[in-house]
Amino acid sequence: MWISDGWREYELYDCGGGERLECWNGVWLVRPDPQAIWERSDPKNIHWARPDGRYIRSKSGGGEWQRFGMPDRWTIGYGQLRFHVRPMNFKHTGLFPEQAVNWDWAGELIKNAGRPIRILNMFAYTGAASLSAAMNGASVCHVDAAKGMVSLGRENAALSGLSDRPIRWIIDDCMKFIEREARRGSRYDGIIMDPPSYGRGPSGEVWHIEDALEGLICGARALLTDDPLFMIVNSYSTGLSAWSAGYILRNCVEKQFGGVTECAEIGLPVTASGLALPAGSTARWRR
């Protein structure tokens, strides 16, 4: 497992009973987590019973936040990067801390490339991976279909002092964007993607990651330069292992460019137990 253990303002304190107890820069949250099926390590910790905010799932789907002093918005830092955190739909906060292990991996490759690097970040959400790449010297194309998420990405760029960096903020369907970029002859040295498990396109198209992932990765391959640096494919789908995405990367990318493909679960250290909570999976290819 690749573990994101470089946080100073975020802590996964405990997890169990289908929930996780986290501290986000002084704000304690309890959120559902389907992976945490074991007993809590510190069930008597006061923040389990008295968090600043708790997300309660509804039996009919979705859920809602219960607020006990939780602010509408606050900030959290990772290294030089700063992000807005806020309670959002479906238990989200606008940031996935476990992804820091991928930000660091890509950032090192960009920083040590010794040449200008262009990065495409698809399904880019609120921009953490985009900002990390830009901070390390890349020019970035940030693509997400949700206008609100792109706006939050811009806010995070300003908060991190990166508004003047070369980041293109694009609101578009990622598959259609790939097709247009291929026709335009656009090329990138690195590609990051975090496609959803399920979704609907702007015209009602149904997206299932198991059916669409190979076409997405192979379509993105056409946008790589002749000397590409890396590709990252992340997934939160419980029905898709890291090895599934890894096999596609090997067939679509490694066979053409050589290099190395690796894949693993990503996770977060748990303070109370000393173990790590699985929190998604990633397949990565590098030249």
Side-chain angles (χ1 to χ4, degrees), residues 11-22:
E11 177 188 18
L12 175 54
Y13 177 77
D14 195 10
C15 54
E19 293 181 309
R20 58 163 75 178
L21 174 62
E22 311 161 290

Side-chain angles (χ1 to χ4, degrees), residues 118-158:
R118 298 185 70 217
I119 299 297
L120 171 61
N121 184 16
M122 298 188 294
F123 310 96
Y125 199 47
T126 59
S130 298
L131 300 187
S132 178
M135 182 185 69
N136 283 287
S139 59
V140 181
C141 182
H142 171 110
V143 185
D144 197 282
K147 182 178 180 179
M149 296 301 103
V150 176
S151 295
L152 291 175
R154 287 180 177 272
E155 290 182 16
N156 287 334

